[in-house]
Amino acid sequence: MSDLFKKAISLGWGLTVVSKEKVERVVDDLVKRGELAPSESKALVDRLIGRGEEEQAHFKTMIREQVAKVLKELNVPNENDMASLEQRIAVLEQQVVELEKEKAAVSVQPSSDEGNLPG
């Protein structure tokens, strides 16, 4: 995973964590000023944090889609392409082994002319 992608994901996570702390502080201030009942504060914090998590999930999805799009535009092989290539390589390697065995077997066998050569 590229550093830029990691930083972007970390930023998304960081924003959610910072937002949670800020939400809790703001809600605490509202409770202290009497603008929000203490019994309502947890529900409000939970609702706002839930919204932050939804935003984070949306952010991750958007980043993944953009990365996939860029990789496709750059013709970077995907997992299926790599598996297909690995399978083709394995078949070719097996064919090379078989050809080498055939070549070795042919070079070891005396030809029919060897016995008739003048000596």
Side-chain angles (χ1 to χ4, degrees), residues 23 27 30 36 40-49:
V23 165
V27 170
L30 290 173
L36 182 67
E40 296 173 338
S41 66
K42 179 160 176 30
L44 180 59
V45 168
D46 289 346
R47 192 170 58 228
L48 293 173
I49 289 172

Side-chain angles (χ1 to χ4, degrees), residues 41-111:
S41 66
K42 179 160 176 30
L44 180 59
V45 168
D46 289 346
R47 192 170 58 228
L48 293 173
I49 289 172
R51 175 70 192 266
E53 289 171 353
E54 289 173 12
E55 291 295 322
Q56 181 182 12
H58 176 71
F59 176 75
K60 282 177 72 174
T61 300
M62 187 175 64
I63 292 293
R64 285 185 179 163
E65 288 172 354
Q66 290 302 314
V67 168
K69 180 180 174 185
V70 168
L71 292 175
K72 186 175 181 179
E73 288 174 1
L74 295 173
N75 293 321
V76 174
N78 63 29
E79 190 174 341
N80 291 335
D81 296 335
M82 294 300 291
S84 175
L85 290 171
E86 288 171 355
Q87 187 176 26
R88 289 176 60 192
I89 289 170
V91 168
L92 291 172
E93 287 173 338
Q94 185 59 41
Q95 289 175 348
V96 168
V97 167
E98 290 172 8
L99 288 172
E100 288 175 347
K101 285 180 183 177
E102 288 176 15
K103 182 179 175 185
V106 168
S107 65
V108 171
Q109 294 176 353
S111 67

